[in-house]
């Protein structure tokens, strides 16, 4: 589904991927392992091909967002980009995860990541959508990032935000490594001028997203004060 000129939302296994169609193709999030056929079918339907994918940007290192990166990179030759904190997390051993009794570390151990990933740092600008800025928003995972395109005011949030009962809210309590930090990270998003929020699992949100982000920032501050 085309959600903005040259920008397509594609339902991959486990999550939405976002295809930016320019001379080359940039894919935001890779779904779970086994997503290749779905992406190939969608690209063929719009007259493009997997071989045109030059970069795969993963918002965080959970299986439903990075699990398909290995097969897609192998098939297309695309570069995989990921925040260094999540690259490091993927290297956790079973002993480390078990000793720490940390659910996030165990999930990282079970995640089938790419063969290699290029570190993507806060503030970097990716050559897509007129300049796609990396915003490090840790908490859901240590290296969770959002991606912001100022030209269209489009904000890709991965799982930094979710929609529950018709309202935008914070990242999942169950799957977040540090929920308090994830909530606090919303303040960085409230500084942006946003016209559309593109989530990892929900339809895009265009109903006054700036007000939504400001409300969540205030709520995060109140929750932090109350604890």
């Amino acid at each position: 589904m085309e959600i903005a000129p040259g920008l397509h939302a594609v339902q991959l296994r486990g999550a939405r991927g976002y295809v930016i169609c320019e001379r080359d193709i940039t894919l935001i999030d890779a779904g779970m392992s086994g997503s290749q056929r779905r992406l190939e079918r969608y690209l063929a339907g719009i007259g493009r091909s997997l071989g045109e994918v030059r970069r795969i940007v993963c918002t965080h290192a959970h299986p439903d967002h990075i699990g398909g990166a290995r097969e897609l990179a192998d098939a297309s030759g695309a570069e995989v980009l990921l925040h260094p904190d999540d690259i490091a997390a993927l290297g956790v051993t079973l002993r480390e995860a078990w000793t720490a009794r940390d659910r996030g570390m165990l999930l990282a151990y079970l995640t089938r990541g790419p063969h290699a990933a290029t570190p993507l740092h806060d503030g970097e600008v990716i050559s897509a959508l007129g300049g796609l800025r990396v915003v490090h928003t840790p908490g859901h995972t240590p290296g969770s990032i959002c991606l912001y395109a100022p030209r269209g005011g489009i904000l890709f949030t991965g799982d930094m935000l979710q929609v529950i009962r018709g309202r935008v809210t914070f990242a999942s309590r169950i799957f977040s490594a540090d929920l308090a930090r994830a909530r606090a990270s919303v303040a960085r998003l409230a500084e942006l001028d946003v016209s559309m929020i593109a989530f990892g699992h929900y339809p895009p949100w265009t109903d006054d997203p700036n007000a939504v982000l400001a409300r969540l920032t205030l709520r995060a501050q109140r929750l932090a004060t109350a604890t």
Side-chain angles (χ1 to χ4, degrees):
M1 173 178 66
E2 190 170 29
I3 61 173
L7 174 62
H8 300 252
V10 183
Q11 186 58 50
L12 303 176
R13 290 193 64 205
R16 287 182 170 221
Y18 291 93
V19 175
I20 302 170
C21 290
E22 296 171 332
R23 187 174 70 175
D24 295 326
I25 292 174
T26 298
L27 174 65
I28 299 175
D29 284 331
M32 297 176 68
S33 178
S35 290
Q36 180 177 333
R37 182 170 296 181
R38 293 189 184 192
L39 182 60
E40 284 180 322
R41 188 163 51 238
Y42 187 89
L43 290 174
I46 59 172
R48 305 297 294 261
S49 69
L50 189 61
E52 296 176 82
V53 178
R54 289 293 174 263
R55 65 178 70 86
I56 301 168
V57 186
C58 295
T59 58
H60 61 290
H62 278 172
D64 54 340
H65 291 259
I66 200 172
R70 180 180 297 190
E71 66 194 55
L72 293 175
D74 286 349
S76 65
E79 178 184 27
V80 180
L81 298 99
L82 183 66
H83 192 275
D85 288 350
D86 272 8
I87 293 176
L90 287 174
V92 69
T93 66
L94 179 57
R95 179 185 293 275
E96 289 169 335
W98 183 258
T99 301
R101 295 293 196 273
D102 184 279
R103 181 169 50 204
M105 292 177 68
L106 182 59
L107 187 58
Y109 170 75
L110 295 172
T111 298
R112 185 173 184 265
H115 293 298
T118 299
L120 190 61
H121 297 272
D122 181 59
E124 286 192 43
V125 177
I126 299 165
S127 298
L129 288 180
L132 196 56
R133 189 197 315 164
V134 177
V135 184
H136 184 208
T137 49
H140 186 59
T141 65
S144 285
I145 61 168
C146 294
L147 300 164
Y148 175 60
R151 187 177 68 185
I154 302 171
L155 178 65
F156 302 90
T157 60
D159 288 353
M160 171 69 182
L161 300 172
Q162 57 180 335
V163 179
I164 297 179
R165 293 189 288 275
R167 290 174 63 87
V168 181
T169 189
F170 301 112
S172 165
R173 178 184 299 272
I174 297 172
F175 294 107
S176 293
D178 186 333
L179 184 59
R181 197 176 184 199
R183 289 170 174 167
S185 289
V186 177
R188 298 206 64 195
L189 306 182
E191 299 170 357
L192 308 173
D193 185 13
V194 179
S195 60
M196 176 192 294
I197 301 174
F199 307 96
H201 296 277
Y202 309 94
W205 188 280
T206 56
D207 184 11
D208 202 354
N210 290 318
V212 167
L213 295 170
R215 173 180 59 81
L216 287 175
T217 298
L218 287 174
R219 186 178 165 204
Q221 291 169 351
R222 293 191 188 106
L223 288 168
T225 302
T227 56

